[in-house]
Amino acid sequence: MEENNPIENNPMNGIGASTPQAATNPAANQAPAPDETSTAQAPTAQMPMAAGNQPAVGAAFVGAPAGAQPAAAPTGAGTVPPQGSVPTANGAAPQPQQPQQPATILQKIMCFGGFAFAVVFLVLAIVIKSWNSALFMLLFILLALISLGTCIAALVMTQKKNSHYKPRILSIIGIVLTVIALIVGMPNVMAVNAQKSESSAESETSTATSAESETSTATSTGTESETATPTETATSAASDASLNPTKITDEASLKSISEAQENDLITRLTAQKDALTSKISDYDSYKANASEVEAFYDTIASETEKTLLLYRQDAAVYANAVLSSGKSAHDMYSDIDAIDDDLYNGVLDDTLDDVYNGLLDDLRDALYNGVLNDPDAASDYSEWSSICSNEYSQNSRSSSEVYAAISSTSSKIYSFSSALGIHLYSGDIDAAKKELSDFQAELDNNNQ
């Protein structure tokens, strides 16, 4: 009887491994069959498995030949370039990126400094309305050059390697502010030309001195004769030599004569006012002298206008004396200031205070607020109301005429003095003489 061999009768014989371990190990089923002649079989190599039946990272192959090295990782797609490099196409080697350089201290100073100069320049251009002195004009030019130069230099310095520096935008703003400041300030800046030499100025002055003197003398004579019209008091005051504009030769005489003219006006008008108010003590006496009151209001306006015309003549005579002095344009410029000091800010202000705010206010208090203030003094209320209204209208009309005349004269004298100053400051004496000639021609028309 044939002996039953369990191994030979195993259904898996010849298909699987010859050992029970091979039958139960799935990995062993894929290994080739062992040599039947081998009496001893090497243990089957087993590899630790990770999740998903993939080899665990860092696992070693059991049974690998000694000295065997694991296969190198594939290169190419999926590799991470070094930090700070820029990837390139077609697998070329990455190029390192240039680092941004920080702004230097000088660049920072230029950016912030240019902006600061531009702000200061704009503020000064807005605040200062008249750049009529050499110091102001030099400051204007320096600030404009510094502001523009600093801002433009800051932009150029930060253009290449520091274009990322954000405060450089202040330089652009500074340039815009400087342009705005120039637009605002330039109309107030007087054009300064090189002054002519003193000898040239003297020669130009001497060529027109005789003609100017003749014109001034003729006009002064006509003005004096017109203002010498006699009034009720001080009939000969206007012919006094101390009131004659032709006697003006320097600043001292301009001041003394113009003040004498103003004092003469106030003295004459005050005397007439006192003589008139002394006759009016009540409502009935006002009615009796109503025509004299009306005439006196006309006198106040007309006599004030005549004195204002004398002030304008004073300015013309004094300007002619300055332009005929043979001094340099710079010295003439300094002397012309006397027109502003003694006339515009002097007797014109005094006339406004003494006539408009003085004499006319006194008349209002004495008549409208005085003798006419009591309606019970009149037998007819409607008549009293009409007389009061007429007195108020007369005082208001005369006040308006005096104020308008003083304002007009002040404006003309100020414009004349300013124009002379501009021409002399720039050294243009001929233009100053032309200004005087036009001013004198206007006076001649007023005297006709």
Side-chain angles (χ1 to χ4, degrees):
M1 182 175 184
E2 192 176 7
E3 188 177 353
N4 186 13
N5 191 334
I7 298 177
E8 293 178 355
N9 295 331
N10 192 335
M12 300 298 295
N13 188 22
I15 300 174
S18 60
T19 61
Q21 290 82 357
T24 60
N25 190 342
N29 291 333
Q30 300 176 5
D35 189 2
E36 295 181 355
T37 59
S38 300
T39 57
Q41 186 176 7
T44 304
Q46 297 183 359
M47 182 176 63
M49 303 297 292
N53 295 329
Q54 297 297 327
V57 177
F61 289 92
V62 180
Q69 299 294 331
T75 61
T79 59
V80 180
Q83 186 176 4
S85 62
V86 180
T88 58
N90 301 325
Q95 299 295 328
Q97 187 177 11
Q98 293 293 336
Q100 297 284 358
Q101 296 183 2
T104 63
I105 296 178
L106 179 59
Q107 291 171 338
K108 294 179 180 179
I109 293 175
M110 296 293 284
C111 291
F112 287 99
F115 175 76
F117 274 115
V119 172
V120 172
F121 183 40
L122 179 60
V123 171
L124 290 177
I126 295 175
V127 172
I128 300 178
K129 299 299 183 182
S130 179
W131 301 77
N132 57 358
S133 69
L135 180 60
F136 276 175
M137 295 187 67
L138 179 62
L139 177 63
F140 185 90
I141 297 173
L142 284 179
L143 283 177
L145 294 178
I146 292 175
S147 180
L148 279 178
T150 305
C151 292
I152 294 175
L155 282 179
V156 173
M157 293 174 64
T158 58
Q159 181 66 31
K160 295 183 178 180
K161 296 183 179 181
N162 301 100
S163 58
H164 67 287
Y165 184 53
K166 293 182 178 179
R168 71 191 299 268
I169 193 66
L170 294 177
S171 301
I172 300 176
I173 298 176
I175 295 176
V176 176
L177 295 180
T178 303
V179 173
I180 295 176
L182 287 172
I183 296 175
V184 173
M186 284 304 296
N188 299 327
V189 178
M190 293 181 297
V192 180
N193 300 322
Q195 288 190 358
K196 298 179 181 180
S197 62
E198 184 173 352
S199 60
S200 176
E202 292 176 356
S203 63
E204 292 177 355
T205 304
S206 60
T207 56
T209 299
S210 57
E212 294 289 344
S213 300
E214 292 175 359
T215 303
S216 177
T217 302
T219 305
S220 300
T221 303
T223 304
E224 182 184 357
S225 61
E226 181 178 352
T227 57
T229 303
T231 58
E232 293 182 15
T233 60
T235 55
S236 62
S239 61
D240 193 322
S242 62
L243 307 179
N244 190 351
T246 59
K247 302 296 183 179
I248 296 176
T249 57
D250 53 16
E251 181 177 359
S253 57
L254 171 65
K255 182 178 179 65
S256 62
I257 290 179
S258 60
E259 288 179 350
Q261 292 165 350
E262 199 271 339
N263 291 333
D264 175 70
L265 171 68
I266 302 305
T267 300
R268 289 184 287 110
L269 292 180
T270 301
Q272 293 185 55
K273 187 259 300 181
D274 293 341
L276 178 63
T277 55
S278 65
K279 300 178 183 179
I280 303 174
S281 58
D282 53 20
Y283 176 74
D284 292 333
S285 59
Y286 179 89
K287 288 171 52 180
N289 295 280
S291 59
E292 292 188 31
V293 172
E294 182 178 3
F296 181 56
Y297 278 121
D298 293 337
T299 299
I300 293 175
S302 61
E303 290 300 314
T304 301
E305 291 178 356
K306 290 177 182 179
T307 303
L308 294 175
L309 194 61
L310 279 177
Y311 296 160
R312 292 168 60 188
Q313 187 62 56
D314 294 342
V317 174
Y318 177 74
N320 182 70
V322 171
L323 296 179
S324 303
S325 63
K327 297 180 180 179
S328 65
H330 181 270
D331 292 338
M332 292 181 186
Y333 172 79
S334 300
D335 292 340
I336 285 297
D337 284 342
I339 296 179
D340 285 340
D341 296 338
D342 299 332
L343 298 180
Y344 180 75
N345 294 318
V347 293
L348 283 168
D349 284 348
D350 294 340
T351 304
L352 184 67
D353 291 337
D354 294 336
V355 178
Y356 180 78
N357 296 320
L359 183 69
L360 288 168
D361 280 353
D362 293 342
L363 271 178
R364 183 183 294 111
D365 292 338
L367 301 179
Y368 181 78
N369 297 324
V371 297
L372 298 179
N373 194 34
D374 185 10
D376 296 334
S379 58
D380 186 350
Y381 180 83
S382 61
E383 180 189 54
W384 171 84
S385 178
S386 177
I387 290 177
C388 287
S389 177
N390 185 61
E391 166 61 26
Y392 184 85
S393 298
Q394 290 180 147
N395 190 286
S396 297
R397 173 182 55 80
S398 183
S399 298
S400 298
E401 291 175 354
V402 167
Y403 187 86
I406 294 175
S407 298
S408 176
T409 301
S410 298
S411 177
K412 291 177 180 178
I413 289 180
Y414 180 81
S415 299
F416 175 60
S417 175
S418 298
L420 289 178
I422 292 175
H423 297 317
L424 293 176
Y425 190 87
S426 62
D428 195 345
I429 299 178
D430 288 339
K433 290 181 178 180
K434 178 63 168 58
E435 196 72 37
L436 172 60
S437 177
D438 295 341
F439 188 76
Q440 190 70 63
E442 185 178 359
L443 279 173
D444 294 341
N445 293 331
N446 291 331
N447 290 328
Q448 292 177 355

